[in-house]
């Protein structure tokens, strides 16, 4: 039912782990191929706890509000990873930024690979051998992979920071300063005392070195 060929397709997906560290991703395909320079990660800013619908509304709003403000090219088709609920949230966002009706939007539900379109109660079932469905699945899977990768990275950083904050004398600001400099807990634990002292006071550096050395020996 598309009026023109969707040369540029953008797809959104949410990711959270038991409600923690909610993030989202958007991937962009041009001429049916990934345009990785156009991929975007989102930290969810306005939603407390696990709420896929509200998160979807937030990221779609942020994406297209920004494109409009910067006068950048909009996609020919928007794909939402999810069924009617997620699609409705995306439509709300598109209405708010004034692009609903100008750009086609669909939802793709995982279980039966059903395609949901605005205003239709019944989903569209595309032939499983269809190249069109395979492309939509590829785009959806890529959005999911990109969201999961970002989520794991965020959880890893959060856990690393928490580990450091458990050390006596190390607060949130100090933990962030150490991680910013050494990039990882592993590199920090491998650093000598003198190097750590360049970042934090002697007594804190000593405690960090002592605790991390014990952890390594476990």
């Amino acid at each position: 039912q598309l009026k023109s060929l969707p040369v540029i397709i953008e797809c959104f997906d949410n990711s959270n782990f038991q409600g923690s560290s909610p993030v989202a991703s958007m991937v962009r395909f041009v001429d049916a191929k990934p345009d990785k320079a156009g991929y975007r990660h989102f930290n969810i800013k306005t939603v407390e706890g696990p709420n896929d619908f509200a998160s979807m509304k937030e990221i779609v709003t942020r994406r297209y509000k920004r494109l409009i403000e910067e006068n950048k090219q909009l996609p020919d088709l928007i794909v939402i990873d999810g069924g009617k609920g997620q699609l409705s949230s995306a439509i709300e966002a598109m209405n708010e930024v004034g692009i609903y009706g100008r750009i086609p939007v669909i939802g793709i539900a995982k279980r039966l690979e059903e395609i949901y379109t605005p205003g239709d109660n019944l989903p569209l079932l595309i032939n499983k051998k269809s190249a069109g469905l395979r492309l939509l699945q590829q785009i959806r899977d890529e959005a999911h992979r990109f969201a999961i990768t970002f989520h794991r990275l965020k959880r890893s950083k959060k856990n690393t920071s928490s580990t450091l904050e458990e050390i006596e004398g190390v607060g949130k600001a100090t933990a962030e300063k150490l991680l910013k400099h050494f990039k990882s807990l592993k590199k920090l634990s491998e650093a000598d005392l003198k190097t750590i002292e360049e970042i934090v006071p002697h007594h804190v550096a000593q405690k960090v070195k002592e605790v991390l050395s014990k952890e390594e020996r476990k």
Side-chain angles (χ1 to χ4, degrees), residues 4 10 23 32 43 56 78 104 107 118 167 175 177 179 188 193 198 202:
S4 58
E10 293 187 347
V23 298
N43 286 304
M56 186 62 74
I78 297 169
I167 300 171
K177 193 191 289 184
L179 286 173
L188 174 57
L193 186 62
E198 290 172 7
H202 171 75

Side-chain angles (χ1 to χ4, degrees), residues 11-181:
C11 179
F12 295 84
D13 185 31
N14 291 322
S15 178
N16 66 70
F17 177 72
Q18 296 176 349
S20 72
S21 307
V23 298
S25 73
M26 185 218 77
V27 297
R28 182 178 173 94
F29 274 53
V30 177
D31 287 326
K33 292 173 187 169
D35 171 26
K36 295 203 172 179
Y39 284 20
R40 294 291 180 269
H41 281 137
F42 299 88
N43 286 304
I44 303 300
K45 296 178 179 178
T46 62
V47 182
E48 290 293 327
N51 186 331
D52 276 353
F53 300 157
S55 297
M56 186 62 74
K57 183 180 176 184
E58 180 190 320
I59 59 172
V60 173
T61 301
R62 282 166 57 190
R63 170 64 178 169
Y64 297 116
K65 189 177 177 188
R66 182 162 188 170
L67 285 192
I68 291 164
E69 284 171 355
E70 295 177 357
N71 202 25
K72 289 187 176 172
Q73 189 174 17
L74 294 165
D76 302 307
L77 174 65
I78 297 169
V79 179
I80 304 300
D81 182 16
K84 288 170 79 173
Q86 282 90 346
L87 179 60
S88 295
S89 299
I91 289 169
E92 279 181 40
M94 291 171 71
N95 263 318
E96 283 185 17
V97 295
I99 59 168
Y100 183 61
R102 288 168 54 194
I103 303 171
V105 58
I106 61 169
I108 177 167
K110 285 186 185 73
R111 195 168 63 86
L112 297 173
E113 305 294 42
E114 298 166 323
I115 307 300
Y116 284 90
T117 53
D120 285 338
N121 291 324
L122 295 174
L124 179 66
L125 292 170
I126 300 179
N127 189 310
K128 295 289 188 281
K129 293 179 182 175
S130 157
L133 180 62
R134 284 203 299 271
L135 175 60
L136 290 175
Q137 288 169 326
Q138 183 192 349
I139 294 169
R140 187 270 318 280
D141 292 346
E142 179 66 351
H144 186 64
R145 179 200 66 76
F146 196 51
I148 290 288
T149 304
F150 181 45
H151 191 250
R152 282 179 184 149
L153 179 67
K154 192 176 177 186
R155 276 172 56 206
S156 166
K157 282 183 177 175
K158 189 177 179 182
N159 292 340
T160 302
S161 182
S162 301
T163 302
L164 285 176
E165 285 172 47
E166 286 168 11
I167 300 171
E168 187 185 338
V170 177
K172 188 178 171 68
T174 305
E176 285 175 0
K177 193 191 289 184
L178 286 166
L179 286 173
K180 189 176 179 182
H181 183 85

